[in-house]
Amino acid sequence: MDDRTVLVLNGPNLNLLGEREPEVYGHDTLADVERLCTEAAARYGLTVDFRQSNHEGTLVDWVQEGRSGTAGIVLNAGGYTHTSVALRDAVSAARVPCVEVHISDIHAREEFRRFSYLSDVCDHHVIGHGVAGYAEAVDWLAGQRRQA
Ligand code: DHK
């Protein structure tokens, strides 16, 4: 990874995108999301390192890997959004901009999804815009580079 790489991290159950609760998360698969991100990044001469894990510690390791020297991190932490102090601490230690993404509108769902441990440590949020939100997150990170 280098400063032209956007690290896109996906948390638990996002490997099931397209099959899992399509009425909430839509019909696109994670491979479709990777394609969206890659195309968005390419418009700015950026590349994407796209990953998914069901394991909290792996996500922490990956945030640490991308915390400096990259163009930024796009993070959909799935269920860990609402539970993980460890992931919050990792994001808090990042020196690059971080964007919190959620496919669904977490504020319009169950009460327990309304709180995010990540919201105040992330620099930008794209919530409830479907999978297109990932491309918006990449666009935002590219915009930050132009301003820097
Ligand atoms: C994805 C999940 O897996 C849930 O646990 C979150 C998020 C919402 C999303 O909308 O992308 O609560």
Side-chain angles (χ1 to χ4, degrees), residues 9 15 19 45-46 52 54-55 72 84 86 88 90-91 94 101 124 128 130:
L9 300 181
N15 53 314
E19 292 172 36
L46 300 174
Q52 187 274 333
N54 292 327
H55 304 279
S84 179
R88 174 202 170 84
V91 170
V101 169
H124 189 64

Side-chain angles (χ1 to χ4, degrees), residues 6-146:
V6 176
L7 180 58
V8 183
L9 300 181
N10 295 279
N13 301 305
L14 288 161
N15 53 314
L16 300 180
L17 210 57
E19 292 172 36
R20 164 198 184 215
E21 300 176 72
E23 66 288 357
V24 176
Y25 298 107
H27 292 277
D28 289 311
T29 66
L30 201 59
D32 295 326
V33 177
E34 179 168 9
R35 204 169 314 118
L36 271 179
C37 290
T38 302
E39 285 168 7
R43 289 198 283 272
Y44 307 100
L46 300 174
T47 58
V48 163
D49 188 326
F50 192 92
R51 307 182 190 183
Q52 187 274 333
S53 176
N54 292 327
H55 304 279
E56 185 176 13
T58 301
L59 292 162
V60 169
D61 286 343
W62 288 345
V63 170
Q64 289 187 11
E65 216 184 298
R67 71 184 270 270
S68 61
T70 62
I73 299 173
V74 175
L75 176 59
N76 184 350
Y80 291 136
T81 304
H82 319 292
T83 63
S84 179
V85 174
L87 206 46
R88 174 202 170 84
D89 289 347
V91 170
S92 198
R95 298 203 186 106
V96 297
C98 295
V99 186
E100 177 181 17
V101 169
H102 297 291
I103 296 166
S104 65
D105 181 359
I106 56 173
H107 302 295
R109 297 181 63 192
E110 303 96 321
E111 184 70 40
F112 64 85
R113 291 186 203 276
R114 293 190 189 154
F115 176 75
S116 164
Y117 274 104
L118 304 173
S119 61
D120 64 327
V121 291
C122 282
D123 304 287
H124 189 64
H125 312 85
V126 186
I127 294 173
H129 294 189
V131 295
Y134 283 81
E136 289 177 41
V138 172
D139 287 342
W140 186 83
L141 286 174
Q144 293 301 107
R145 281 172 58 81
R146 276 199 305 275

